[in-house]
Amino acid sequence: MTLEIESKEATHDTDGLPVEELVVNIGPSHPSTHGVGRVVVHLDGEVMTHVEPIVGYLHRGIEKMSENRTYLQVVPLTDRLDYVGSMYANWAYCRAVERLAGISVPERAEYLRVIVCELQRIASHMMALGSAAGDTGAATMFIYTFDERERIIEAFEELCGSRLTYNYVRPGGVSFDVPEGWLDNVLAFCAAHRDKLTEMDKLFFGNVIAKGRLKGIGVLSAEDAVAWGASGPVARGSGVNWDLRKHDTYSVYPRFDFDVPTGSNGDAYDRGRVRLFECYESCRIIEQAISQMTEGPVKTPLPRLLRPAPGEAYSHIESARGSLGVYVVSDGTPRPYRMHVRSPAFCNLALLKILAPGHMLADLVAVMGSLDPVFGEVDR
Amino acid sequence: MALVDRIGTSLERTPGGGIILTSVDALVDWSRGQSLWAMPMGTACCAMEFIAASFSKFDYDRLGTFPRPDPRHCDVMVLAGTITEKMKPAIQRLWDQMPEPKWAIAMGNCTVSGGIFYYDSYSVVRGADEFIPVDVYIAGCPPRPESLIDAVMQLRELVHEESIAPGKRRERNTKLPRSKAEANERMEAMRTPESDGPHAPAKVVNKEFPSDVIADEGGEV
Amino acid sequence: MSDHLEELRERISELDPTIYPLFSIEFGDAVIAVPLDDLLVTMHRLRELGFDRLGMVTAVDRPEFFVLVYRLHSRALSAGLFVKAKVHKEDPVAPSMFEVWPAADWQEREVFDLFGIDFEGHPDLKRIFLPDEFEGHPLRKDYDHPRVIRRPDYI
């Protein structure tokens, strides 16, 4: 494996003068590529002409690994897919297995899943907003958002004992019921979080520098968003009203009243702002879920070895990055015959090569930050 | 660093307060240990905990450890996250670019041994020490930020006992093992059957299980 | 659930009668099974019917053949759909969907990388996750890696 980049080609500008095309390699270890992303950029002066994202530096082969494990042993692996939003991959996988094996889930567990996933959405968006802001020079915003994220991580730690890899959503329910007083803490967090969001909106999105850095950068048209398979805030920033919670609804989401914020310009600014407004909506969903929740069991007893009948199941949920799908094929043995993850970050990152060309090199990190890739999920 | 740790009281006792006598070796080590700039080699999940450790709540900047994503400026590489075969040459190159003296902290199970990916993965490097000499290992998946702070403190102790003369190590009263071989020896000593320590092997007892335990075999998960 | 799928079948059949015989319901999902030669034509037709999103492209290694699995979504019909096609193991070549949905770009590269299925007409078909020197296609069932330890069978 080499890290060499291809040789330069001499081109000629409009006056016939020889112009050397500059090839810049960014990554795979670069603080603004959000992990191990690598981008090879061809430059004409300071303007990007061709952008080639190179992925796979975190390809761990989770799909093949799950063929060597039992159905329940795969759940911890899904934690490591999207490490900023572990609950989503847990849930998507468990829904697929529940569908495959015909397992019913108690109602309280569904509510708990909704609550933790909406909290996770806030945590993930805080990370996305903060790192995107940090990349464009607004380090203060990163510290504000990370503070909010830390509060959610503390709540998760109280709930399931882990700060990052929760393994909380399991086939048939969730692993534990909430500790005493936890829901009150979450409600208090939601109330405080709204004020913080307003403050962040003023601090970052009201800032003239952020507007200058993000407005009109990486414009994605609604047609392209649909054709390229974009989902989540990336598609909604372009005005595509597509949210699985509303439009292919699952779990107990039909019982909640919430809006789907969409942008209109499809630029980096709108994508960021959509994330911020989604946090308000998540707070609304959490409050409704806590008020509707009733006492009851949180998991269905299952045998230690699941042996679903031969068949296949696909389940998708709206994760913080978009529609996260899991496709599981069973052949009747205790191991999955095939497990595939349809990763939203992977599909969204593919857009980089059509969004970035035409902009200055310094705008690359703004575009990449607005796509919010998490490389655990991109590379799997 | 006994003398420098008590620097305040030493100064008080000196009339006029200006002079401390110490060896150059000790002073150099002390200053190295107090400002270990960290190269964040964050590849996966552990990078999130690395970021958390450097932010407001845990704030390991107060130990003089400052994340700086530039190998030329850094003393310690924090290997945070799964290393794949594809990523290995990049990490190797960054490690080679770091100036001596340099240290490495393996943060998380993936860099210790491959962790959860040890048995099944076709693309993960089983432990960072396959290609980088690691000084401190932190277990956990991912380790808590406090563990990282503890690792920095342990590394500081290691740095304090190094000598500026190449290959030499000053004898100090420390609990840390001096080499990987010594660490392994200690582990083995803990595993001897006579030991009653926490790592002693479980004693095999021929006893019939009560029937209600057997009935529980297909219990819930 | 199945009422909804029947309704989808009726609506698709009204729009395009040629699709009707291909339509089936497997394990609670709408599936269109297509011979490989008709895949591209059928996909163009489905796109015209309103399936404007290509959600997922993947493959499954069955003992005799590979199965290409496409997941389509339609906002207009508010429905999801699987399209499946069998690919021979001896000569694994399939048409690329890049001209229908650009979303197929990276996902087909992934299938090429991990299964070794060639996609004719793809603009830039090369390995995406694994280094170029990597030998074999790991998601094939006959792939073996020296460091992978097979867990015991839980029978």
Side-chain angles (χ1 to χ4, degrees):
Chain A
M1 177 59 213
T2 52
L3 289 172
E4 265 88 56
I5 42 184
E6 57 257 62
S7 59
K8 301 169 191 171
E9 287 169 27
T11 53
H12 293 79
D13 71 353
T14 46
D15 303 329
L17 294 169
V19 179
E20 201 176 84
E21 190 184 40
L22 191 65
V23 184
V24 179
N25 175 59
I26 300 167
S29 171
H30 187 278
S32 292
T33 54
H34 296 224
V36 288
R38 179 177 167 212
V39 191
V40 175
V41 187
H42 294 242
L43 290 172
D44 175 15
E46 215 182 321
V47 178
M48 294 182 277
T49 54
H50 177 73
V51 176
E52 176 70 36
I54 298 174
V55 299
Y57 288 94
L58 192 53
H59 177 67
R60 302 175 281 198
I62 284 179
E63 291 176 10
K64 183 75 177 177
M65 286 174 73
S66 41
E67 292 171 15
N68 198 9
R69 293 167 167 245
T70 64
Y71 281 93
L72 297 180
Q73 285 169 347
V74 176
V75 184
L77 286 181
T78 59
D79 277 329
R80 277 87 186 160
L81 281 169
D82 177 356
Y83 44 80
V84 185
S86 301
M87 293 283 189
Y88 292 115
N90 279 183
W91 195 7
Y93 172 74
C94 291
R95 278 194 76 220
V97 172
E98 281 154 10
R99 224 180 134 186
L100 196 61
I103 302 164
S104 62
V105 183
E107 196 183 64
R108 188 176 170 85
E110 290 285 9
Y111 275 106
L112 283 174
R113 287 173 176 194
V114 167
I115 291 168
V116 292
C117 282
E118 292 306 321
L119 279 174
Q120 184 77 80
R121 190 182 311 277
I122 298 175
S124 173
H125 282 345
M126 286 294 112
M127 187 68 209
L129 285 173
S131 54
D135 291 346
T136 49
T140 320
M141 176 73 173
F142 202 173
I143 290 167
Y144 272 55
T145 56
F146 216 86
D147 247 18
E148 291 298 289
R149 180 181 179 273
E150 195 63 42
R151 273 174 236 284
I152 298 172
I153 301 297
E154 278 165 21
F156 281 159
E157 193 183 355
E158 201 183 333
L159 181 64
C160 49
S162 176
R163 282 171 53 87
L164 217 58
T165 45
Y166 311 110
N167 198 7
Y168 181 64
V169 181
R170 311 250 177 105
V174 295
S175 54
F176 316 103
D177 205 340
V178 292
E180 213 180 318
W182 190 82
L183 293 172
D184 298 331
N185 291 348
V186 170
L187 283 178
F189 165 80
C190 286
H193 184 60
R194 284 209 177 87
D195 298 340
K196 283 283 169 76
L197 285 174
T198 316
E199 202 179 342
M200 283 174 206
D201 195 19
K202 256 196 302 194
L203 173 77
F204 184 66
F205 291 104
N207 188 324
V208 68
I209 301 172
K211 283 182 181 168
R213 281 299 303 267
L214 299 179
K215 279 209 164 174
I217 299 297
V219 178
L220 175 67
S221 68
E223 295 77 43
D224 274 352
V226 175
W228 281 82
S231 52
V234 175
R236 290 196 284 274
S238 303
V240 181
N241 193 345
W242 173 255
D243 188 325
L244 294 176
R245 291 175 293 172
K246 271 257 193 262
H247 300 110
D248 193 0
T249 190
Y250 54 95
S251 185
V252 288
Y253 276 111
R255 301 181 194 173
F256 305 130
D257 172 34
F258 63 98
D259 299 322
V260 179
T262 51
S264 49
N265 303 323
D267 54 8
Y269 187 83
D270 275 18
R271 288 195 278 276
R273 206 115 192 265
V274 162
R275 291 200 175 91
L276 190 94
F277 286 123
E278 277 186 12
C279 295
Y280 284 108
E281 299 303 324
S282 292
C283 289
R284 272 176 74 187
I285 296 174
I286 293 167
E287 283 164 357
Q288 290 173 50
I290 291 178
S291 68
Q292 290 178 15
M293 224 161 94
T294 49
E295 291 294 319
V298 293
K299 59 184 166 186
T300 311
L302 290 182
R304 291 211 173 101
L305 276 185
L306 283 180
R307 240 181 269 259
E312 52 188 62
Y314 179 79
S315 99
H316 55 181
I317 63 166
E318 184 72 22
S319 89
R321 263 152 284 282
S323 54
L324 169 69
V326 173
Y327 178 63
V328 184
V329 181
S330 160
D331 62 345
T333 60
R335 303 169 211 251
Y337 186 75
R338 169 98 173 92
M339 197 276 274
H340 176 72
V341 180
R342 187 268 177 204
S343 140
F346 179 68
C347 298
N348 291 351
L349 188 66
L351 288 164
L352 188 65
K353 67 179 171 193
I354 61 164
L355 294 186
H359 292 298
M360 300 280 191
L361 177 60
D363 296 328
L364 179 70
V365 292
V367 177
M368 197 149 175
S370 74
L371 294 177
D372 185 24
V374 171
F375 278 87
E377 200 187 59
V378 172
D379 296 344
R380 277 158 283 157
Chain B
M1 270 323 295
L3 180 63
V4 194
D5 286 345
R6 289 201 298 269
I7 197 162
T9 46
S10 318
L11 272 174
E12 262 173 44
R13 285 173 194 172
T14 317
I19 302 166
I20 290 176
L21 291 176
T22 180
S23 68
V24 177
D25 227 11
L27 187 66
V28 168
D29 280 346
W30 175 75
S31 48
R32 272 180 186 166
Q34 302 301 314
S35 127
L36 290 164
W37 281 26
M39 161 85 202
M41 195 59 250
T43 47
C45 332
C46 292
M48 302 308 299
E49 291 300 66
F50 183 88
I51 297 170
S54 59
F55 268 100
S56 320
K57 189 181 166 193
F58 299 99
D59 187 23
Y60 74 173
D61 283 15
R62 64 208 150 89
L63 305 175
T65 306
F66 178 73
R68 176 87 192 155
D70 181 349
R72 291 287 184 197
H73 293 177
C74 292
D75 309 294
V76 49
M77 181 181 260
V78 181
L79 294 145
T82 321
I83 298 167
T84 58
E85 294 288 351
K86 194 174 178 181
M87 191 65 193
K88 194 165 124 180
I91 295 176
Q92 180 73 58
R93 181 182 283 196
L94 288 165
W95 172 253
D96 293 343
Q97 283 174 4
M98 280 170 65
E100 291 281 354
K102 56 190 173 188
W103 298 273
I105 295 178
M107 179 180 182
N109 289 352
C110 289
T111 49
V112 174
S113 67
I116 192 170
F117 305 104
Y118 181 83
Y119 286 104
D120 321 302
S121 179
Y122 52 83
S123 59
V124 169
V125 176
R126 267 69 165 174
D129 51 10
E130 284 194 359
F131 64 108
I132 281 180
V134 176
D135 294 282
V136 182
Y137 297 84
I138 321 172
C141 190
R144 297 179 55 85
E146 289 97 327
S147 312
L148 183 62
I149 292 171
D150 181 49
V152 172
M153 302 294 283
Q154 291 197 26
L155 181 66
R156 188 188 272 185
E157 224 175 292
L158 266 181
V159 172
H160 280 173
E161 61 174 52
E162 274 183 13
S163 169
I164 45 175
K168 273 199 172 180
R169 201 166 237 201
R170 287 179 295 109
E171 286 303 313
R172 297 209 131 263
N173 184 19
T174 169
K175 288 175 198 153
L176 295 175
R178 301 192 183 277
S179 63
K180 200 168 177 182
E182 195 184 327
N184 285 340
E185 266 172 35
R186 286 194 199 179
M187 286 291 285
E188 283 307 314
M190 278 196 280
R191 285 207 185 107
T192 47
E194 296 81 37
S195 159
D196 291 331
H199 300 283
K203 291 186 179 75
V204 182
V205 183
N206 286 328
K207 201 169 100 181
E208 277 187 20
F209 278 104
S211 56
D212 55 327
V213 175
I214 295 169
D216 190 43
E217 202 182 3
E220 63 188 72
V221 178
Chain C
M1 194 67 184
S2 59
D3 292 349
H4 173 71
L5 293 176
E6 289 297 338
E7 198 186 313
L8 178 69
R9 173 188 275 191
E10 293 307 318
R11 287 181 69 183
I12 290 179
S13 311
E14 272 169 34
L15 293 166
D16 192 340
T18 56
I19 299 218
Y20 185 82
L22 308 171
F23 196 101
S24 64
I25 295 168
E26 287 178 15
F27 311 113
D29 273 311
V31 176
I32 292 182
V34 198
L36 194 62
D37 300 335
D38 302 344
L39 184 62
L40 196 59
V41 182
T42 313
M43 288 298 214
H44 270 294
R45 248 184 240 148
L46 286 169
R47 171 122 166 82
E48 281 156 23
L49 290 185
F51 285 91
D52 51 359
R53 296 173 72 88
L54 175 62
M56 176 182 89
V57 182
T58 188
V60 180
D61 184 357
R62 294 289 186 186
E64 298 91 34
F65 43 77
F66 295 116
V67 185
L68 272 178
V69 183
Y70 298 86
R71 173 85 188 175
L72 311 182
H73 294 282
S74 166
R75 281 184 297 155
L77 302 170
S78 67
L81 182 67
F82 278 111
V83 178
K84 291 186 184 172
K86 287 178 189 174
V87 181
H88 295 294
K89 281 212 160 167
E90 296 79 41
D91 181 26
V93 182
S96 170
M97 293 302 133
F98 183 77
E99 56 177 278
V100 194
W101 296 277
D105 182 2
W106 276 21
Q107 302 202 41
E108 283 180 354
R109 278 178 66 189
E110 183 194 334
V111 175
F112 168 74
D113 189 355
L114 304 178
F115 281 96
I117 299 176
D118 273 316
F119 288 93
E120 269 178 345
H122 191 283
D124 184 24
L125 196 65
K126 58 186 183 196
R127 281 194 184 269
I128 186 164
F129 290 145
L130 294 162
D132 294 334
E133 307 88 66
F134 194 89
E135 279 176 22
H137 300 285
L139 280 181
R140 288 189 180 185
K141 288 285 176 188
D142 56 5
Y143 177 81
D144 198 20
H145 191 274
R147 298 204 71 166
V148 172
I149 301 161
R150 174 87 182 155
R151 285 163 190 267
D153 279 317
Y154 311 92
I155 307 291

